Amino acid sequence: MCESATDAVHPRFFKKREIHVKGFKIALIQLAVGPDKAKNVASAVSEIHKAKDKGAQLVALPECFNSPYGTKYFDEYAEEVPSGATCRALSKAAAEAGVCVVGGTVPERCGDKLYNTCTVWDGSGKLLAQHRKMHLFDIDIPNKITFKESEVLSAGDQITTFEYQGVKIGIGICYDLRFPEMAHLMAKQGCSLLVYPGAFNMTTGPKHWELLARARANDEQLWVALVSPARDPDAGYVAWGHSALVDPWANLVAHLDHRPDTLVADLDLSLVEEVRKQIPIRVQRRTDIYDTIHKK
């Protein structure tokens, strides 16, 4: 199946990785990713079950968790969605663990096109949503990094939100994080949490990874979760790591370093309305002068 299942209608820094407050418990899994696809997927499935044992209701994986990240790998590792082996493994893991799985991303093959695609599975293993990366990572920083996803990948064209256990959640992938309009449209659709599987690099990661997460949380007064692969200094593309969680006050609540690990946290969703009530920018926007609209 190549059709998009998009929009399936849907205080401070703590050193501890488990945050014991009321809310919706999530797990962000910072996986080590290597060239063996089967090993990558088996590791992800194992960590999903471990996260369930820690009480997680939603488990999120990183960008390109089943393959190395790089334009030369996308065609080789690509699978159809949702019929490919990786999707089948995620569906089964979600059902067996009884959790929602935000399946990071996989290279998706659809006809003669390739996409960088996130799939979302509910606690019964049903496909809830499918997001194709909308903004392709094409950058050129002299003497630092040059990367052009558009040489191989096609861009998605849908805003993706879904609902799980009464929580509206939006999905973006890595470079999508840089575009506030996209986050605003997901917030307008009622999202309390945005999840971004991503793989920022050693140039942009230290500069912008946390900054952008806090900016999106501050802009839209909601929770933002970033999920990165662990850092492999021997890889062709070296990920920054530092998976992170930011609250609606734009506080970095918790984060990992660069090594394989899992961040488990309980989201106090009442903070969303608390912030929005105290700083009511949503009703103060001058939509008589400017607005952000969904053209689809």
Side-chain angles (χ1 to χ4, degrees):
M1 182 183 87
C2 289
E3 295 82 11
S4 174
T6 302
D7 198 29
V9 202
H10 205 325
R12 302 289 175 194
F13 165 72
F14 289 93
K15 292 184 178 179
K16 292 183 178 180
R17 295 190 179 96
E18 296 195 32
I19 312 303
H20 298 288
V21 295
K22 292 182 180 179
F24 183 71
K25 184 164 286 190
I26 69 170
L28 311 180
I29 300 178
Q30 188 163 283
L31 288 170
V33 178
D36 188 328
K37 182 194 285 190
K39 183 177 179 180
N40 293 334
V41 174
S43 177
V45 168
S46 176
E47 294 300 326
I48 289 169
H49 286 280
K50 291 177 184 178
K52 169 63 175 182
D53 291 341
K54 296 177 181 178
Q57 296 158 268
L58 180 146
V59 181
L61 303 174
E63 183 178 25
C64 280
F65 78 91
N66 75 337
S67 72
Y69 181 77
T71 53
K72 67 181 181 180
Y73 299 110
F74 294 142
D75 183 64
E76 176 186 354
Y77 285 78
E79 302 178 5
E80 290 189 356
V81 172
S83 61
T86 300
C87 284
R88 296 198 306 271
L90 292 181
S91 173
K92 181 179 179 181
E96 289 180 347
V99 297
C100 178
V101 173
V102 176
T105 77
V106 299
E108 176 198 358
R109 186 185 309 281
C110 184
D112 61 354
K113 292 184 177 181
L114 298 177
Y115 299 92
N116 191 353
T117 300
C118 177
T119 58
V120 181
W121 308 87
D122 71 10
S124 67
K126 174 186 175 182
L127 183 64
L128 273 182
Q130 175 182 332
H131 177 68
R132 291 169 172 164
K133 191 174 189 175
M134 289 179 58
H135 303 93
L136 298 183
F137 180 53
D138 286 9
I139 69 167
D140 184 8
I141 304 176
N143 303 314
K144 294 289 186 178
I145 182 171
T146 299
F147 200 99
K148 296 190 181 300
E149 280 188 324
S150 63
E151 292 176 345
V152 177
L153 299 177
S154 296
D157 60 4
Q158 296 289 330
I159 300 292
T160 305
T161 65
F162 66 97
E163 188 169 323
Y164 185 71
Q165 296 188 354
V167 182
K168 194 72 174 286
I169 300 165
I171 299 293
I173 298 171
C174 202
Y175 206 57
D176 287 341
L177 178 63
R178 290 188 178 273
F179 297 87
E181 300 89 348
M182 180 178 170
H184 184 66
L185 290 172
M186 292 189 284
K188 285 179 71 174
Q189 291 186 19
C191 291
S192 299
L193 167 65
L194 303 182
V195 181
Y196 292 90
F200 273 43
N201 54 73
M202 297 301 292
T203 298
T204 61
K207 296 179 184 296
H208 299 150
W209 178 249
E210 178 188 331
L211 172 67
L212 287 166
R214 296 184 67 194
R216 299 292 81 82
N218 186 68
D219 291 344
E220 304 305 332
Q221 302 173 311
L222 40 62
W223 288 88
V224 173
L226 306 182
V227 198
S228 171
R231 187 182 307 169
D232 178 0
D234 296 322
Y237 179 96
V238 182
W240 171 237
H242 293 270
S243 297
L245 181 66
V246 178
D247 75 10
W249 286 106
N251 294 310
L252 181 65
V253 174
H255 71 87
L256 302 177
D257 59 22
H258 62 280
R259 295 165 294 188
D261 205 348
T262 297
L263 186 159
V264 178
D266 206 335
L267 276 59
D268 183 354
L269 295 171
S270 70
L271 286 179
V272 175
E273 290 309 314
E274 175 185 304
V275 175
R276 291 176 179 179
K277 181 178 180 180
Q278 295 180 26
I279 309 176
I281 57 173
R282 293 161 67 85
V283 297
Q284 294 170 333
R285 297 179 78 245
R286 290 295 305 274
T287 53
D288 57 321
I289 299 173
Y290 59 83
D291 204 357
T292 302
I293 62 171
H294 191 181
K295 298 183 70 172
K296 286 286 182 179

